[in-house]
Amino acid sequence: MPRYKVNKEKAIGSPIKPLPPVPSLYGVDPKYVKKRAAELPGIVSIKINELFPDIPKPIWPPRNPKAIREATEEALEKVDMSMIKPHHSVNILGSHHGFTILGGEPYAEMLKTIKDVIERKTGAKNIRLKVGVGLRHRESEEYIKRFKLDEYFEGKAYGMSPLDPGIPIETEIGTFYGIKAAYDADKIVHAHNTDVREVHFHRHVDRAFKPFGMSYARLETRSAYHHNLGPRGANFVARAIFNSKFVQEKWTFAVFLRASPVGILGVYADNDLDRLDRRITIDNLRYYGKVMRLLSKIDECIVVLDYRTPIPYTFAGGVIFANFTGANIDLFDLDNPLPPYTWYTEAYYDEQERPLIPEVPPVNPAIKAIVINYAWGGYPSVFWAKKFPVIVVGREQADVYNRDPQNIEFMKHAVIADDLETAMEFAYKIAQTDKVIIFDGVYGAINVSKSLAEYLIEKAPEVDEEVEKKLLPKWLKQRGIPPEEAYK
């Protein structure tokens, strides 16, 4: 029997206003975003803490820079910084992904606090910020300027591209290539976040190690992660780099923004990355596991994308759209060898759009149509236009993909609507459902149609029971964690 019953009146509220569009090389000019999906008639929000009461309350939202600073300072008090001497140079290594969570301000505040605490505790003054990025090579530079991190770090904040000069890193399994700029200091600090992000790739195995094979790595090594080895098998690339003599001689500690479906819960910091990885694994399987499992119960829906990230990285309740693409299988269950979507599976379809590997499951059949009101380019996304009916709002938004070399064929498989209302009218006809879910970057709640809200409220208690009693113990055991450890 479920442990509780959701109070429908408390769970359903007015739609949550998403963050506004921002200028970017990778997105449409904000003036062309005329209306947000949360403003559509019939849209409500469902509060995640009402659906799953055991998820801790966040420190952000609401906006609270002081809480982030205090949480970072508290976490760093327990960290050994004695290996950093006053004459040492220090690179704080960050990732563009941290800036996509709640608009990026919580992550920016954490980075600034790390700098301040290192200076205070060690006397080191030559502290630089190096922020890695994926395929949008200027994105980190945009974040650095937006949050004035170049000023805060006194001109020593840089965006790194995977095409920047590399440096060979000898590991126990061969030579990989890091970005030279990431490692051009005496010491490094690993500053990341706990968001599950591309769980369809890493399957929450060595999640905390991933940036060493991605954000801090040259394109050749990133490609080994994405393509050559495929999902799951690529996880040991990042761990091998981290364990290398080269990295360990520079290693100090890690600081992670503690993200969850309801927002930021706090900050984790540790000298031991294995120990930190274990903590975030427990957190994410418990909390993200419930929200992702709930979304997997959706039987049919229209998806609306309306956030300032590329298509796969738009959020609903802290879960990215790429994960919803594969929600028809349990992405946390390692007995499922191949997810419906990764670059590895996407790259190998034949002329009839059939996977060359028969074991690759189909993409989530619950998605009946996709409306793109606002989402960036800069990520290969033709896959979604081929697999689902896609309606793009406005010629200007369509041109985001037309001028993107990674998406030049996107609009061959999508249609344009003059405005959001027209797009939705068309989507309702195609999808034959009134269930709508909006991926608009909101945390703590999910903006949905009232019909979908009522459906998810009904499903939430049984999902809680399923995760707590059946799935969580299995997920933990698969990763070598005793289930009782999750409840300490």
Side-chain angles (χ1 to χ4, degrees), residues 131 137 159-167 178-181 217-220:
V131 184
H137 295 173
M160 302 184 296
S161 161
L163 296 181
D164 285 350
I167 186 167
I179 299 173
K180 187 176 182 180
R218 267 278 308 186
L219 185 64
E220 299 89 344

Side-chain angles (χ1 to χ4, degrees), residues 69-80:
R69 178 165 286 270
E70 290 176 349
T72 307
E73 290 173 339
E74 181 181 356
L76 287 173
E77 283 303 314
K78 305 167 187 173
V79 166
D80 177 13

Side-chain angles (χ1 to χ4, degrees), residues 160-267:
M160 302 184 296
S161 161
L163 296 181
D164 285 350
I167 186 167
I169 300 175
E170 301 301 328
T171 78
E172 60 185 329
I173 59 173
T175 305
F176 291 107
Y177 290 86
I179 299 173
K180 187 176 182 180
Y183 296 103
D184 65 358
D186 298 312
K187 300 296 179 181
I188 58 172
V189 174
H190 178 31
H192 204 58
N193 69 85
T194 68
D195 171 26
V196 293
R197 194 63 50 152
E198 305 101 330
V199 71
H200 48 285
F201 275 128
H202 58 73
R203 307 299 292 278
H204 225 299
V205 175
D206 285 352
R207 166 71 182 94
F209 295 81
K210 182 174 175 282
F212 288 91
M214 296 290 287
S215 293
Y216 317 150
R218 267 278 308 186
L219 185 64
E220 299 89 344
T221 291
R222 293 176 64 99
S223 295
Y225 189 99
H226 275 309
H227 284 295
N228 299 350
L229 297 172
R232 289 187 65 190
N235 290 323
F236 58 75
V237 171
R239 180 175 276 274
I241 292 171
F242 175 76
N243 286 340
S244 69
K245 182 174 183 289
F246 174 80
V247 172
Q248 287 301 305
E249 286 178 345
K250 296 176 179 289
W251 174 253
T252 58
F253 55 88
V255 192
F256 274 50
L257 193 67
R258 191 182 172 204
S260 81
V262 299
I264 306 305
L265 302 183
V267 174

Side-chain angles (χ1 to χ4, degrees), residues 40-165:
L40 288 167
I43 298 300
V44 300
S45 68
I46 45 172
K47 301 167 188 173
I48 294 173
N49 273 131
E50 293 294 334
L51 300 181
F52 302 113
D54 64 335
I55 299 180
K57 299 294 189 293
I59 63 172
W60 182 316
R63 181 180 178 273
N64 192 346
K66 182 181 178 183
I68 300 295
R69 178 165 286 270
E70 290 176 349
T72 307
E73 290 173 339
E74 181 181 356
L76 287 173
E77 283 303 314
K78 305 167 187 173
V79 166
D80 177 13
M81 298 187 190
S82 62
M83 72 291 292
I84 301 175
K85 306 303 179 186
H87 65 276
H88 279 155
S89 56
V90 180
N91 280 353
I92 298 174
L93 302 181
S95 170
H96 64 305
H97 285 310
F99 292 105
T100 66
I101 300 169
L102 288 156
E105 190 179 359
Y107 187 60
E109 188 64 29
M110 185 187 82
L111 294 173
K112 290 190 289 186
T113 308
I114 294 169
K115 174 184 181 294
D116 294 342
V117 174
I118 292 173
E119 284 185 345
R120 186 177 74 245
K121 291 185 70 173
T122 72
K125 299 295 183 184
N126 188 8
I127 302 172
R128 296 89 69 96
L129 175 65
K130 304 291 184 76
V131 184
V133 75
L135 299 174
R136 296 166 303 286
H137 295 173
R138 308 299 296 274
E139 185 183 0
S140 289
E141 294 175 7
E142 292 184 347
Y143 293 130
I144 286 169
K145 288 182 173 60
R146 184 175 303 147
F147 296 107
K148 298 182 178 179
L149 293 170
D150 48 346
E151 298 176 21
Y152 203 89
F153 280 78
E154 301 170 319
K156 298 177 182 178
Y158 312 93
M160 302 184 296
S161 161
L163 296 181
D164 285 350

Side-chain angles (χ1 to χ4, degrees), residues 346-393:
E346 172 201 352
Y348 302 107
Y349 277 77
D350 63 19
E351 294 79 3
Q352 284 76 47
E353 289 302 312
R354 298 171 303 188
L356 298 185
I357 304 171
E359 292 79 13
V360 174
V363 290
N364 189 355
I367 302 171
K368 304 302 182 184
I370 299 172
V371 173
I372 302 177
N373 188 50
Y374 173 52
W376 290 359
Y379 187 101
S381 301
V382 178
F383 175 84
W384 285 283
K386 285 183 176 181
K387 293 297 176 187
F388 303 104
V390 173
I391 306 139
V392 178
V393 177

